[in-house]
Amino acid sequence: DIQLTQSPSFLSASVGDRVTITCRASQGISGYLAWYQQKPGQPPKVLIYDASTLQSGVPSRFSGSGSGTEFTLTVSSLQPEDLATYYCQQLITYPLTFGGGTKVEIK
Amino acid sequence: VQLQESGPGLVKPSETLSLTCAVSNDSITRNYHWGWIRQPPGKGLEWIGDIYYSGNTFYTPSLKSRVTISIDTSKNQFSLKLTSVTAADTAMYYCARRLIVAGGWFDPWGQGTLVTVSS
């Protein structure tokens, strides 16, 4: 199975800060990675797919990059509504696996 | 497209968990995988399995011996059965749609249904 390691597992940042979350894969997954945002009490919602493609309707302050084994999700200017837990998921091979999540708190 | 999970919220240990996901505003026979994902309270996401409308299934190895995902094209819904449940199977269970392309991601997701395993 492909393991995904997210870091940090928790971060606290201020409104307007630039925030970066990293997802490392235990083996190469090309660009077959998605990022999801899960707000409290809600199901996850896809933000980024194919490592760097912004899902329609997602604010442009979110961006993704990376290929192979290292990927990043960046929020260019953190907003109060970005309070959530963020997950990466590899989609190159079964079993599909998720990272452990990064909980983002607003200071 | 909307997905809606349904099923008992309480299941006794050793019994079978059964959930259904009703798909509306889209045909379940279109080119998608239909999947189940679960999330124990306060924990992360775990993919359970996918099914294609032809009936082809894919399961996570840790649950493979206990899980069955099936599809009912006449009702436009798919189902999850998990046998011999324990407290460790207590979780929010989500159904979701996944494109059949390389790297197809899950979108959209249902709202989820909480299943508690307890006597």
Side-chain angles (χ1 to χ4, degrees):
Chain A
D1 300 4
I2 296 176
Q3 313 300 323
L4 296 179
T5 303
Q6 281 185 240
S7 59
S9 55
F10 174 84
L11 72 85
S12 181
S14 300
V15 172
D17 282 354
R18 182 181 182 88
V19 166
T20 298
I21 298 169
T22 297
C23 178
R24 289 189 173 87
S26 59
Q27 57 187 274
I29 59 171
S30 186
Y32 296 129
L33 187 103
W35 289 98
Y36 300 88
Q37 175 192 62
Q38 186 178 30
K39 295 184 177 181
Q42 296 184 20
K45 180 185 85 165
V46 66
L47 297 176
I48 303 281
Y49 60 88
D50 291 345
S52 60
T53 303
L54 194 68
Q55 172 74 334
S56 175
V58 173
S60 58
R61 63 180 180 275
F62 290 94
S63 64
S65 65
S67 182
T69 61
E70 186 148 340
F71 302 84
T72 59
L73 172 70
T74 299
V75 187
S76 60
S77 177
L78 194 68
Q79 299 301 303
E81 60 267 32
D82 299 334
L83 166 73
T85 302
Y86 295 83
Y87 295 93
C88 57
Q89 184 192 24
Q90 65 82 15
L91 298 144
I92 194 172
T93 189
Y94 288 114
L96 308 180
T97 47
F98 290 91
T102 296
K103 186 172 183 178
V104 174
E105 174 191 90
I106 311 295
K107 280 183 185 172
Chain B
V1 59
Q2 290 185 315
L3 289 81
Q4 180 65 58
E5 306 88 348
S6 61
L10 181 65
V11 181
K12 290 183 168 54
S14 80
E15 294 190 345
T16 296
L17 178 160
S18 297
L19 298 175
T20 296
C21 181
V23 178
S24 55
N25 302 319
D26 195 9
S27 171
I28 206 165
T29 61
R30 287 186 64 198
N31 237 13
Y32 294 106
H33 284 292
W34 303 93
W36 288 97
I37 302 101
R38 71 179 183 178
Q39 185 172 36
K43 296 189 177 180
L45 301 167
E46 178 183 29
W47 173 76
I48 299 171
D50 277 2
I51 189 167
Y52 185 54
Y53 81 90
S54 64
N56 286 352
T57 52
F58 307 87
Y59 301 130
T60 193
S62 63
L63 297 175
K64 190 172 183 178
S65 63
R66 297 195 291 130
V67 69
T68 302
I69 297 176
S70 58
I71 198 160
D72 187 337
T73 55
S74 67
K75 295 182 179 178
N76 217 46
Q77 64 186 34
F78 61 107
S79 299
L80 169 72
K81 288 191 188 301
L82 184 64
T83 62
S84 305
V85 297
T86 69
D89 296 310
T90 293
M92 184 73 79
Y93 285 77
Y94 297 101
C95 60
R97 184 186 74 173
R98 194 165 75 86
L99 271 172
I100 295 185
V101 296
W105 55 96
F106 284 110
D107 178 65
W109 297 54
Q111 284 299 307
T113 188
L114 179 63
V115 178
T116 301
V117 178
S118 175
S119 55

